[in-house]
Amino acid sequence: MAKQNVVVVGGGLAGLAATMKLAEMGVHVDLISMVPVKRSHSVCAQGGINAVNDVTRQEGDNEWKHFDDSVYGGDFLAHQPPIKEMCDWGPRIIDLLDRIGVPFNRSPEGFRDQRRFGGTLYKRTAFAGATTGQQLIYALDEQARRWESEGMVSKYEYWEFLGPVLDDAGVCRGVIAQDMFSMEMRAFPADAVVLATGGNGLIFGRSTMSMICTGGAAGRAFRAGVKYANGEFMQVHPTAIPGTDKLRLMSESARGEGGRVWVPRKPQDERDPMSIPKEERYYFLEERYPKYGNLVPRDIATREIFEVCVKGGLSVEQNNLCVYLDVTELPPAQQKKLDGILEIYETFQGVDPRKTPMKIFPAVHYTMGGLWADYERDANHGGLNLGSPRNHQTNVPGIFAIGEADYQYHGANRLGANSLLSCIFSGLIVAPSIAAYMGGRKGSKDAPSTLFDGAVGVHKQQYEKLIRNDGTENPYKIHIELGDTMTRNVTVVRYNKAISETLGKIDDLMQRYQRVGLSDKSNWTNQNLSFTRALGDMLLMAKVIAQGALQRDECRGAHYKPDFEIPGPKAENPADLRREAETWCDGFQKNLDKWLKTTVATYDGKGGTGFDGKGGFKIEYEAVDTSMIPPRPRTYGLKGAEIIEEVWKERIAKAKRGPGAEKREAVGAG
Amino acid sequence: MSRYIHVKVLRQQDPHSAERWETFSVEHEPGMNVTTVLQRIAAAPVTVEHESSTPVAFDACCLEEVCGACSMVINGRVRQACSALIDNLCADGRDTIELRPMTKFPVVRDLVVNRRRMFDALKRVKAWVQVDDYFDRGPGPRVFPKEQDEAYPLSRCMTCGCCVEACPQYHDDSPFIGAAAISQAILFNAHPTGRSAADERMEVLAGKGGIADCGNSQNCVKVCPKKIPLTDSLAKAGRDATVYKLRKWFGR
Ligand SMILES: Cc1cc2nc3c(=O)[nH]c(=O)nc-3n(C[C@H](O)[C@H](O)[C@H](O)COP(=O)(O)OP(=O)(O)OC[C@H]3O[C@@H](n4cnc5c(N)ncnc54)[C@H](O)[C@@H]3O)c2cc1C
Ligand code: SF4
Ligand code: SF4
Ligand code: FES
């Protein structure tokens, strides 16, 4: 019998975790990546990785609470079984990382040290200096290298994935990829294909993501028929350093270690920030959210910073919107823990943040949406049935999606330090899922070579067409315009009118894209071509994001539409307040019925490159599995939060007693 | 008034073509770095002689000096392009910067080189912890902060190649594995589990292309963007290799 072969596209944390687990199971892996896998975007992660641990456990924490925080942080939009399973695995994953040599920070006694991240009350986050992502990916990269030296893994670095190969029955039999040096194209036959190609921040122009995070690979899978879910959910990180090529992240750990966010009370106060007395500083997060202080969840922090600058007019600078993030008061030991990220600021801004407060502003940061992937719930414990081939398989048989490229774990907003966990977790569990899938199938060698030749031919044709295109439009200019309109209208605060304008603008840009002209027409290491090809995918996916955002008339997690916010109670008198809270909860329930749904986009052209003018897709909605934790309002900062929570709890309790009871009560309350 | 930066780039269409210089002029922006400059050139690749050219090929990914992709020789010094701020490069009032590919690796195109040799060296020194499997077997070994403080800096090596670019002993005619790989061998030999393959690593360090090839010029440590204490690693490798050879000599 032919040896089983799996193609893994992408060697970030997710792809590497899948690769090493598959190799351990005796499956050969072709690992394809645009950059040497060690240089994948995952290196950028700074803060850490979440899991329940021995210490938090003794403070009352457990896997269920991590699960609850994740579900609540994601505003209930994510299916619960995969998250439950992930949180249950958390401690084991950290142990594994520890064993393979990740230099986690240590307590004096030699245990792993942990810190607290936004959106939770426990110190759940393990970290390695301030370069946790780099340390994790190196450990995984080393394991993959070990398997490579044993012949179980073949790496194809500087190879770009162009699309999957589907047979007549619609089953994936491999992929087509292109050598980014020689521009050679070839087929990689496979029994199964894993897409671990990361996020798509470049659709917004500059973001905290790496240069290759175009989402081009996901776009290509989408065109081939893989569904795309929850596209409109993009996380904007509250604290980034505005730069000319990139918005560099200032990790949440700066706040986790005690960093404080403030603006001068006097607008654009020109004094040296260190000389501004405490009482003339507005620590707006601490004042408005006494319980969480500077560690409010990301969406709240983002909106508050946005608001204090845009609406409040308190931006530190007039033309360059920003607020202060201040670690100058921290003791040296704590500052040292942050060395890695403070160095970034110092290197790229030329200012020492240990002595002067940093200037920061929100930036697009994480792609919650992604390729639609399935799962199978375990009837006994509510988590995943790990032997099932459905876990992480997309709607196209044989294509699996993991890591930031899928949509499974973070719902409407990702909890900080949960995505490194979800990447490694999904990579580890996709391996048995693939084994189960392959168990019942013929090997890839049985696919006719004409299938692959044909697919290579199609991609070659598209390549020729793009490289020869006789036009004057500049792809880089189109990209900048795309980023501008997306950032302005489809990020922190969304209005339907503005989103519609953006959709119109994207259509224009798609037209102009047809007339794009490459300044480089050579057939050797043509980066101009690679970028322009990805631009076609970005335009299509931008439309998926914007259309999803337009249709979703509600506020949920990172998706914030002021026009559809349910106004909070205002009354002073308790009876009125109670009545208003009831009304609020009615509205909340109505909204849940209407919008607690996964957005699922399906491409309706067949194949294509975006270059052929086909860009149609349809959007449908799917129910969300909330079988374990019933949705509840997120009321941070809302007046009357307590009374709303009280009313809602009563309703949940009633609902539990039975639908009949609920109805009778509702009539009675009328 | 806008200010312009002249960017002289040593270009090469492919491994078989000749090198040539090209100069571009790029409008200065506050806070701009060399990768931004290259992006601006890509968007409008016209030389100062007003000839249309092609975007300059370059390697970059993270743009925050953590992936190791963007090493190149800038104004005669090897470093990361993403952390090279124009305002620092031009601090002395000059308005020209010069970009060349690294010289110790085969040029693929323009500023893109092939650093495969470095990754092969990592394979040779078995730069990994050889665990039994990926099942749940509880936590790893207990590690004190002092040990972590020693391991962590070495573990930040991003295989960028600056150290070997600056090293007089690392070139086409020498089998030297270079400071980065040696430092990784030291890292894994210090790890409580990694140590079990210490002899295999020492076999490489004590052999051809190993530590004996280091001429101790200390160029490597001066250019490492991650400030890795390479000379400490090299010194330790030297001592360990001696001990290893003696042990072998005495058949033990
Ligand atoms: C600045 C920053 C800080 C972060 N900090 C944290 C943190 O502290 N904690 C946390 O949990 N999360 C953090 N995150 C999020 C986390 O880093 C990412 O979600 C995660 O690393 C994504 O991993 P991945 O494996 O899915 O994808 P990536 O690491 O992005 O890897 C994608 C891979 O796909 C390949 N690829 C892409 N397209 C193609 C193609 N067309 N052909 C071939 N290969 C392709 C790439 O080469 C790469 O190997 C942070 C993110 C950012 C931006
Ligand atoms: S000290 Fe050794 S490795 Fe470093 S530059 Fe000199 S010869 Fe090369
Ligand atoms: S040791 Fe330093 S210079 Fe050498 S490859 Fe590693 S990070 Fe780069
Ligand atoms: S682009 Fe990653 S180090 Fe410069």
Side-chain angles (χ1 to χ4, degrees), chain A residues 431-477:
Chain A
S433 166
I434 290 171
Y437 164 81
M438 292 192 302
R441 302 195 80 89
K442 291 194 287 183
S444 56
K445 304 287 181 302
D446 299 335
S449 65
T450 49
L451 178 67
F452 298 111
D453 296 345
V456 171
V458 170
H459 284 284
K460 276 205 172 129
Q461 237 175 15
Q462 291 168 351
Y463 170 84
E464 292 295 332
K465 197 171 158 198
L466 182 53
I467 212 163
R468 298 246 161 80
N469 199 45
D470 214 6
T472 51
E473 287 289 348
N474 187 326
Y476 301 95
K477 300 230 159 86

Side-chain angles (χ1 to χ4, degrees), chain A residues 45-50 115 117 125-128 132-133 136 251 416-418 420:
Chain A
Q46 302 170 350
I49 175 167
N50 285 340
R115 63 159 66 111
F117 239 56
T125 309
F127 60 104
T132 307
L136 298 191
S251 163
N418 250 15
L420 297 180

Side-chain angles (χ1 to χ4, degrees), chain B residues 28-218:
Chain B
H28 176 267
E29 300 164 38
M32 111 194 286
N33 52 5
V34 169
T35 37
T36 303
V37 165
L38 289 164
Q39 286 174 345
R40 300 291 181 264
I41 293 177
V46 180
T47 67
V48 283
E49 291 88 15
H50 305 292
E51 273 164 37
S52 53
S53 183
T54 52
V56 176
F58 68 105
D59 216 346
C61 190
C62 69
L63 301 180
E64 52 190 64
E65 206 182 61
V66 69
C67 80
C70 66
S71 323
M72 58 183 74
V73 180
I74 301 172
N75 288 352
R77 183 176 155 232
V78 66
R79 56 184 299 179
Q80 302 310 113
C82 62
S83 58
L85 300 184
I86 299 302
D87 287 342
N88 293 346
L89 292 170
C90 298
D92 51 2
R94 65 168 160 186
D95 61 357
T96 301
I97 60 169
E98 185 197 276
L99 310 178
R100 298 164 173 257
M102 289 193 284
T103 59
K104 300 293 172 73
F105 306 99
V107 171
V108 176
R109 182 175 177 179
D110 297 337
L111 303 170
V112 180
V113 297
N114 190 338
R115 280 168 276 192
R116 162 155 273 157
R117 179 173 164 186
M118 291 193 76
F119 290 100
D120 287 343
L122 290 179
K123 263 189 235 161
R124 283 192 58 202
V125 299
K126 297 196 182 335
W128 53 73
V129 175
Q130 58 301 329
V131 289
D132 286 351
D133 52 49
Y134 306 133
F135 290 95
D136 176 24
R137 290 171 179 278
R142 196 91 80 79
V143 175
F144 295 115
K146 183 177 163 294
E147 296 157 327
Q148 197 265 355
D149 280 350
E150 279 165 16
Y152 178 66
L154 304 195
S155 188
R156 291 179 73 192
C157 170
M158 51 187 188
T159 324
C160 67
C162 290
C163 55
V164 295
E165 172 69 18
C167 173
Q169 304 297 103
Y170 194 92
H171 48 79
D172 280 353
D173 305 324
S174 124
F176 185 38
I177 58 172
I182 292 173
S183 181
Q184 289 297 298
I186 296 302
L187 169 67
F188 288 98
N189 276 3
H191 186 274
T193 314
R195 198 156 58 210
S196 71
D199 282 358
E200 294 165 61
R201 294 191 193 99
M202 287 320 301
E203 192 61 32
V204 180
L205 294 199
K208 195 163 162 266
I211 185 68
D213 283 10
C214 165
N216 205 20
S217 61
Q218 313 210 350

Side-chain angles (χ1 to χ4, degrees), chain A residues 503-535:
Chain A
L503 278 162
K505 174 82 185 176
I506 300 172
D507 282 335
D508 288 351
L509 294 174
M510 280 177 151
Q511 288 304 315
R512 283 168 55 191
Y513 182 70
Q514 306 300 308
R515 300 190 298 274
V516 80
L518 297 191
S519 51
D520 186 352
K521 297 188 186 284
S522 72
N523 285 313
W524 183 263
T525 321
N526 191 334
Q527 297 178 334
N528 192 215
L529 175 114
S530 173
F531 175 80
T532 308
R533 184 165 50 199
L535 178 62

